[in-house]
Amino acid sequence: MRILVDADACPVVSIVEKTAKKYEIPVILLCDTNHVLYSDYSEVITVGAGADAVDFKLVSLCQKGDIVVTQDYGVAAMILGKGAYGIHQSGKWYTNENIDQMLMERHLAKKARNARKRHHLKGPAKRTGEDDQRFDISLEKLISVVDRNPLLRQT
């Protein structure tokens, strides 16, 4: 098991690293050339700044049993297809049972935004300490689920 993070502007990198250290899980942070990341613990992979370059690299590196931290539902759908586990920075898990609905909601939200181009829509609310706690608890639970799955244990 490894943890791969779509780290471009990801607010939970430090939480991921803290938890990964606790369980001695390797972490790979992926970012594009527009972001500069340094880590004493994680491997940092920087890819070109092309559209979706980080996403494609993350999916290509992802293996069965890995945990992927991303807010991109499309990336989540692809890693689920490879037998990996996905978690959003909110702490919500991506699963085969919920990904289709999440993708449809994303599609409908985009249509609504495009229909109201001249109206400004607010972005997400400012991240709080409670958000970080919720993510930390959810990540720990996900690690325990993956760790208990004998089909995913590396020999």
Side-chain angles (χ1 to χ4, degrees):
M1 171 190 353
R2 303 172 301 170
I3 301 176
L4 288 77
V5 182
D6 184 351
D8 287 341
C10 180
V12 297
V13 169
S14 61
I15 298 168
V16 170
E17 288 186 320
K18 174 189 69 83
T19 303
K21 283 180 192 177
K22 178 177 171 181
Y23 294 100
E24 299 178 356
I25 301 170
V27 175
I28 301 172
L29 304 175
L30 292 103
C31 64
D32 66 26
T33 54
N34 294 318
H35 298 85
V36 179
L37 289 178
Y38 299 100
S39 175
D40 293 331
Y41 182 77
S42 302
E43 175 184 355
V44 177
I45 297 176
T46 305
V47 298
D52 302 320
V54 170
D55 299 342
F56 291 127
K57 182 67 172 181
L58 188 152
V59 171
S60 74
L61 291 174
C62 179
Q63 299 172 0
K64 184 176 185 175
D66 286 342
I67 294 174
V68 174
V69 180
T70 184
Q71 62 181 353
D72 187 313
Y73 294 178
V75 170
M78 288 186 278
I79 62 98
L80 288 172
K82 293 183 83 170
Y85 294 80
I87 184 171
H88 187 275
Q89 64 194 27
S90 68
K92 183 171 179 97
W93 295 1
Y94 299 106
T95 67
N96 289 320
E97 289 74 28
N98 69 11
I99 195 65
D100 287 340
Q101 180 178 349
M102 294 171 87
L103 289 167
M104 179 57 76
E105 289 170 359
R106 179 184 74 166
H107 171 72
L108 294 174
K110 183 177 181 181
K111 281 181 76 168
R113 281 192 308 275
N114 288 341
R116 295 181 247 152
K117 279 192 177 188
R118 56 196 150 99
H119 300 292
H120 175 72
L121 298 175
K122 288 186 176 182
K126 184 174 165 75
R127 192 163 184 89
T128 67
E130 291 169 348
D131 295 327
D132 290 344
Q133 262 187 321
R134 192 172 18 262
F135 175 80
D136 193 18
I137 291 166
S138 185
L139 179 60
E140 292 238 7
K141 286 180 183 174
L142 183 55
I143 289 168
S144 73
V145 165
V146 176
D147 195 45
R148 285 193 311 257
N149 187 339
L151 298 176
L152 299 175
R153 286 204 188 104
Q154 298 192 2
T155 53

